[in-house]
């Protein structure tokens, strides 16, 4: 009954029907709503009969959407509160990972391959409000190709430490850069290495770090990221900058999965959504870290700095710009504008079928692009 009431209050964006659930819900509706629902259900059944038997995107779309609400468990009595939900998912998402102490902070770092890998080291940096989990498939396949792969969760994100502001870490660009330098030293990463960066905020800080340390980079790969002054700022980051609204928004337990889905043509499978949700569900720390970082940055200024820093005459290392063309946040024109700023260095590879996080939407295509470039 609770699940039915929720569905009436929050109509899903992605309607999915089964004969059992539809008939159960319809019994509680008025006669007018029953008539309308019956027509929709009949049409849905007819469409299903005409649908092709094979769906090439089934691996990302075969679950109920979380765009409308937290996905409810099949047995609410067994998994009906936050404590029980955390118990169900707390061990998920640590693929290839371990905790590394660097200075006063503890990072969670994923690693595949060996430091002695013949083809060198690749460091993968994620954007906000996500985590390094998005690179797990790409890392696995790139280590099979002879690379040593490392992907940390930025401080404040994923499974890394999330210190409250004013207690040793204030989420400024300089602090992110300084702590990243310390982590590289602890990990023994030898320069020059290959750097892969994606996303907003801390993703952009990965690119500004590269601009300050060009001698440490052999090649650079950029996945969908704000790269020009014309890059739009998603509504999430705008909301975070408003007093009270920002505090409220930052404590949304499904903030990360909704951000991912809103920038993609796909819906996350439940087991993936669980991992992106876990940090925000388990404590208030990640939300306040995101809030502080968003309020301390000037998105337009950082994007302009990136566009200028990687322009012709300023940057001469090879850059692969692998761009998911179905990105709902950053249009393809951003990638094309960035390439025009340094056409002799920047190679643009458009990835069809991928959105804002191509490493999550279609990792195999990202791997193909990386192998050809590297």
């Amino acid at each position: 009954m609770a699940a039915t009431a929720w569905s009436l209050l929050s109509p899903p964006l992605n309607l999915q029907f089964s004969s059992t659930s539809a008939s159960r819900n319809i019994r509680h509706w008025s006669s007018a709503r029953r008539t309308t629902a019956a027509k929709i259900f009949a049409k849905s059944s007819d469409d299903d009969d005409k649908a092709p038997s094979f769906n090439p995107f089934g691996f990302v779309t075969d679950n109920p959407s979380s765009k409308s609400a937290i996905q409810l468990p099949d047995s609410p009595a067994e998994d009906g509160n936050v404590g029980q939900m955390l118990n169900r998912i707390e061990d998920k998402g640590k693929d290839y990972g371990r905790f590394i102490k660097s200075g006063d902070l503890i990072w969670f770092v994923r690693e595949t391959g060996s430091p002695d890998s013949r083809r060198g080291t690749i460091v993968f940096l994620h954007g906000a409000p996500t985590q390094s989990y998005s690179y797990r498939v790409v890392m696995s396949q790139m280590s099979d190709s002879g690379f040593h792969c490392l992907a940390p969760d930025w401080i404040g994100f994923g499974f890394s430490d999330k210190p409250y502001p004013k207690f040793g870490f204030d989420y400024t660009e300089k602090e992110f850069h300084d702590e990243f330098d310390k982590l590289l030293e602890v990990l023994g990463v030898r320069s020059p290495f290959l750097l892969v960066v994606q996303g907003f905020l801390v993703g952009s800080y990965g690119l500004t770090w590269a601009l300050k340390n060009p001698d440490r980079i052999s090649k650079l790969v950029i996945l969908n990221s704000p790269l020009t002054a014309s890059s739009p700022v998603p509504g999430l980051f705008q909301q975070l900058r408003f007093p009270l609204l920002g505090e409220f928004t930052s404590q949304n337990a499904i903030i990360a999965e909704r951000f991912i889905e809103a920038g993609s043509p796909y819906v996350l499978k439940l087991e993936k959504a669980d991992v992106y949700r876990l940090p925000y569900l388990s404590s208030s720390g990640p939300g306040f870290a995101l809030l502080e970082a968003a309020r301390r940055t000037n998105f337009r200024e950082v994007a302009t700095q990136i566009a200028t820093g990687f322009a012709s005459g300023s940057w001469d290392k090879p850059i692969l710009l692998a761009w998911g063309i179905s990105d709902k946040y950053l249009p393809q024109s951003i990638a094309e504008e960035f390439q025009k700023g340094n056409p002799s260095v920047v190679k643009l590879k458009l990835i069809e079928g991928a959105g804002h996080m191509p490493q999550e939407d279609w990792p195999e295509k990202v791997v193909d692009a990386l192998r050809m470039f590297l």
Side-chain angles (χ1 to χ4, degrees), residues 206-220:
L207 293 176
T208 56
W209 180 90
L211 289 173
K212 293 178 180 179
N213 297 273
D215 293 339
R216 303 188 66 178
I217 305 297
S218 58
K219 291 184 178 181
L220 177 63

Side-chain angles (χ1 to χ4, degrees), residues 337-355:
E337 181 182 349
F338 181 77
Q339 185 192 31
K340 289 178 182 178
N342 197 343
S344 63
V345 166
V346 180
K347 177 183 179 182
L348 177 58
K349 171 64 177 177
L350 299 177
I351 303 180
E352 295 184 6

Side-chain angles (χ1 to χ4, degrees), residues 122-125 135 194-198 220-223 370:
I122 309 176
V123 177
F124 296 85
L125 297 179
Y135 287 114
L194 310 164
L195 181 64
V196 179
V197 176
Q198 184 274 329
L220 177 63
V221 177
I222 305 174
L223 309 180
L370 287 173

Side-chain angles (χ1 to χ4, degrees), residues 200-268:
F200 288 92
L201 195 54
V202 285
S204 295
Y205 290 166
L207 293 176
T208 56
W209 180 90
L211 289 173
K212 293 178 180 179
N213 297 273
D215 293 339
R216 303 188 66 178
I217 305 297
S218 58
K219 291 184 178 181
L220 177 63
V221 177
I222 305 174
L223 309 180
N224 297 52
S225 302
L227 300 172
T228 67
S230 59
S231 300
V233 179
L236 167 64
F237 300 112
Q238 297 179 38
Q239 292 173 20
L240 289 170
R241 299 175 78 89
F242 284 96
L244 298 182
L245 177 59
E247 280 76 5
F248 179 80
T249 300
S250 72
Q251 296 308 307
N252 183 349
I254 54 175
I255 190 172
E257 66 195 82
R258 284 192 170 177
F259 183 84
I260 295 169
E261 291 184 333
S264 167
Y266 308 124
V267 172
L268 285 170

Side-chain angles (χ1 to χ4, degrees), residues 2-328:
T4 301
W6 183 270
S7 67
L8 294 176
L9 288 171
S10 303
L13 300 178
N14 230 1
L15 292 176
Q16 297 188 16
F17 292 88
S18 71
S19 58
T20 302
S21 63
S23 61
R24 182 173 62 248
N25 289 340
I26 287 174
R27 285 199 297 271
H28 297 284
W29 294 349
S30 65
S31 58
R33 293 189 69 188
R34 284 199 297 270
T35 301
T36 302
K39 290 179 180 178
I40 295 174
F41 178 57
K43 184 178 186 304
S44 174
S45 298
D46 291 342
D47 290 343
D48 287 343
D49 292 339
K50 299 174 184 177
S53 57
F54 173 68
N55 175 10
F57 303 113
F59 68 98
V60 288
T61 59
D62 61 357
N63 66 295
S65 172
S66 63
K67 291 182 180 179
S68 61
I70 290 181
Q71 298 175 34
L72 298 177
D74 293 331
S75 303
E78 298 176 6
D79 192 8
N81 60 46
V82 171
Q84 290 170 325
M85 187 181 296
L86 283 171
N87 185 61
R88 173 172 62 83
I89 66 178
E90 64 181 353
D91 292 328
K92 288 186 176 182
K94 295 185 173 68
D95 315 53
Y96 316 119
R98 60 192 173 110
F99 291 96
I100 302 289
K101 185 172 177 55
S102 174
D104 295 328
L105 297 171
I106 295 177
W107 295 68
F108 182 79
V109 181
R110 299 173 198 275
E111 182 174 18
T112 60
S114 165
D116 299 322
S117 295
R118 57 187 174 81
R119 302 194 64 184
T121 296
I122 309 176
V123 177
F124 296 85
L125 297 179
H126 68 87
T130 63
Q131 53 177 287
S132 63
Y133 176 75
S134 64
Y135 287 114
R136 66 202 178 279
V137 177
V138 174
M139 292 177 64
S140 175
Q141 296 189 17
M142 291 306 294
S143 62
D144 289 342
S145 296
F147 291 94
H148 176 220
C149 301
L150 293 163
D153 287 346
W154 281 109
I155 295 299
F157 297 85
F159 299 107
S160 289
D161 270 355
K162 304 163 187 69
Y164 282 91
K166 312 301 182 186
F167 288 89
F169 193 82
D170 289 334
Y171 298 94
T172 64
E173 179 184 24
K174 182 180 185 305
E175 287 173 310
F176 279 114
H177 286 177
D178 290 346
E179 294 302 330
F180 183 55
D181 281 330
K182 294 177 186 177
L183 177 66
L184 292 177
E185 183 176 351
V186 170
L187 292 173
V189 175
R190 296 188 293 271
S191 299
F193 61 89
L194 310 164
L195 181 64
V196 179
V197 176
Q198 184 274 329
F200 288 92
L201 195 54
V202 285
S204 295
Y205 290 166
L207 293 176
T208 56
W209 180 90
L211 289 173
K212 293 178 180 179
N213 297 273
D215 293 339
R216 303 188 66 178
I217 305 297
S218 58
K219 291 184 178 181
L220 177 63
V221 177
I222 305 174
L223 309 180
N224 297 52
S225 302
L227 300 172
T228 67
S230 59
S231 300
V233 179
L236 167 64
F237 300 112
Q238 297 179 38
Q239 292 173 20
L240 289 170
R241 299 175 78 89
F242 284 96
L244 298 182
L245 177 59
E247 280 76 5
F248 179 80
T249 300
S250 72
Q251 296 308 307
N252 183 349
I254 54 175
I255 190 172
E257 66 195 82
R258 284 192 170 177
F259 183 84
I260 295 169
E261 291 184 333
S264 167
Y266 308 124
V267 172
L268 285 170
K269 296 182 72 171
L270 181 56
E271 58 265 28
K272 298 178 184 179
D274 277 344
V275 178
Y276 288 111
R277 176 190 306 162
L278 177 57
Y280 297 92
L281 187 66
S282 59
S283 99
S284 61
F288 285 122
L290 176 64
L291 179 71
E292 193 72 12
R295 287 180 172 177
R296 286 182 174 275
T297 192
N298 183 321
F299 288 90
R300 198 77 63 196
E301 184 179 286
V302 172
T304 300
Q305 177 186 348
I306 290 169
T308 303
F310 289 109
S312 297
S314 298
W315 183 271
D316 59 2
K317 304 287 181 66
I319 297 177
L320 170 65
L321 185 54
W323 199 267
I325 62 176
S326 297
D327 190 338
K328 307 294 180 60

